[in-house]
Amino acid sequence: MDGWDFLTTAESLAKSAHESDRRTSISRSYYASLNGVLCALRPHGVVAKRDHTHQLSEWLRACEDPNLRQVGSKLHTLWAMRIDADYRMELPASEFSIEQAQVAFHEARQILRLFQRTSPRSAAGDIRAYLQKVNSLMFLEKA
Amino acid sequence: MGKLASEPVAEAGCALHARHAAATPAESVAPEAARFMSARGLSEAHERVKALVREEFPSLKSLATSVECDPDAPHVAAVRLRATVGGPVEKAMACKDAFDEALARDDGGRLSAFVVTVKVV
């Protein structure tokens, strides 16, 4: 399946009366975006190693294309929101309101729009160049 | 890539809205965040990110800085700024989009240690 398909799940759960559904919606918004971008980069030789997938936002923020930088910034936002949603059971339900689930869904939808304006091939090239510059190419699977 | 049935949220740029006279937003920095930034020379960049947040969110009510670590990948950490802003969601998200655009102009990886999340109240 396409990673972006999780967006439909995120949207359907965002207005649920149940906190657990709204937390799941936030988490799905993140994973839709993460997997959507990773899937698009894979054919161009950028495959993050298992422990490094969550650093994709950092790599995107170092790209030349301003659209990709925005994608990186929004993906980073969703990364932080997803940690709260998936791990911080002690946080009050108000942190996972319908509005917050809508915020996360909006970010994911914007990531999709911005990423569609870019070239995945060019993004992959920028990411490899950045990782080479910071001596971190080992974070990628070998082609 | 998948397509969505829902309508797009209004994308009016917040920078175009007149700034309302409002109370100074409450700001806080957790001690571990201060140590984290100090050890990495990020204090000046922190001020830059805070200035961008203040500029792009006219309805900012509070801004709290902490350190965020990924439970799945402990080597992945960031300085997190939690901005609490006034609603409605559509307007707050237009501000967030404008913020991300401004950050992208300023970024180039220099500010990638920082992540901003928005809570709409």
Side-chain angles (χ1 to χ4, degrees):
Chain A
M1 68 172 260
D2 189 322
W4 296 112
D5 292 344
F6 281 131
L7 273 185
T8 310
T9 312
E11 184 174 31
S12 67
L13 293 176
K15 291 184 178 175
S16 169
H18 303 288
E19 180 186 340
S20 54
D21 284 344
R22 298 192 301 273
R23 282 179 180 254
T24 302
S25 173
I26 292 168
S27 182
R28 288 304 93 190
S29 284
Y30 172 63
Y31 278 106
S33 310
L34 180 71
N35 287 311
V37 175
L38 285 173
C39 286
L41 294 174
R42 176 177 283 269
H44 304 288
V46 169
V47 181
K49 285 186 179 169
R50 187 187 174 92
D51 287 349
H52 298 280
T53 54
H54 297 296
Q55 287 169 272
L56 178 63
S57 60
E58 174 200 332
W59 305 343
L60 289 165
R61 285 176 71 170
C63 287
E64 288 293 321
D65 182 342
N67 286 313
L68 289 172
R69 290 186 188 181
Q70 287 182 66
V71 167
S73 178
K74 289 181 175 299
L75 190 61
H76 212 176
T77 295
L78 285 177
W79 166 80
M81 293 180 77
R82 172 259 169 183
I83 291 173
D84 287 349
D86 282 350
Y87 289 98
R88 307 239 159 93
M89 298 302 115
E90 75 280 9
L91 290 176
S94 60
E95 294 291 324
F96 308 98
S97 61
I98 289 174
E99 287 78 11
Q100 288 312 104
Q102 289 176 324
V103 163
F105 179 67
H106 171 86
E107 296 283 44
R109 196 168 47 185
Q110 288 295 91
I111 288 171
L112 173 58
R113 284 207 189 99
L114 289 162
F115 196 69
Q116 283 175 331
R117 291 180 197 162
T118 69
S119 151
R121 176 191 289 271
S122 169
D126 275 9
I127 287 171
R128 295 190 77 85
Y130 168 68
L131 290 176
Q132 190 159 25
K133 184 177 159 189
V134 296
N135 279 326
S136 299
L137 273 174
M138 74 286 270
F139 294 165
L140 299 181
E141 298 285 1
K142 285 183 182 163
Chain B
M1 289 178 190
K3 289 184 178 172
L4 296 170
S6 59
E7 290 299 311
V9 172
E11 290 183 316
C14 258
L16 299 176
H17 291 276
R19 185 180 289 270
H20 297 287
T24 305
E27 294 188 9
S28 63
V29 180
E32 74 273 16
R35 284 194 294 273
F36 184 94
M37 290 187 289
S38 175
R40 291 162 180 78
L42 294 171
S43 300
E44 194 177 318
H46 182 226
E47 291 305 318
R48 178 66 192 133
V49 177
K50 283 198 297 183
L52 272 179
V53 171
R54 289 188 209 106
E55 200 174 312
E56 298 296 345
F57 291 94
S59 65
L60 182 67
K61 295 181 184 305
S62 67
L63 190 57
T65 303
S66 59
V67 175
E68 194 72 77
C69 288
D70 193 321
D72 289 333
H75 57 283
V76 181
V79 179
R80 180 173 179 178
L81 284 78
R82 294 172 187 257
T84 302
V85 305
V89 170
E90 289 78 6
K91 192 170 177 181
M93 287 298 89
C95 294
K96 179 60 164 56
D97 292 342
F99 168 81
D100 288 321
E101 203 178 329
L103 190 69
R105 282 195 299 270
D106 216 328
D107 199 343
R110 287 181 300 115
L111 303 177
S112 63
F114 298 89
V115 55
V116 175
T117 57
V118 174
K119 181 180 179 184
V120 183
V121 293

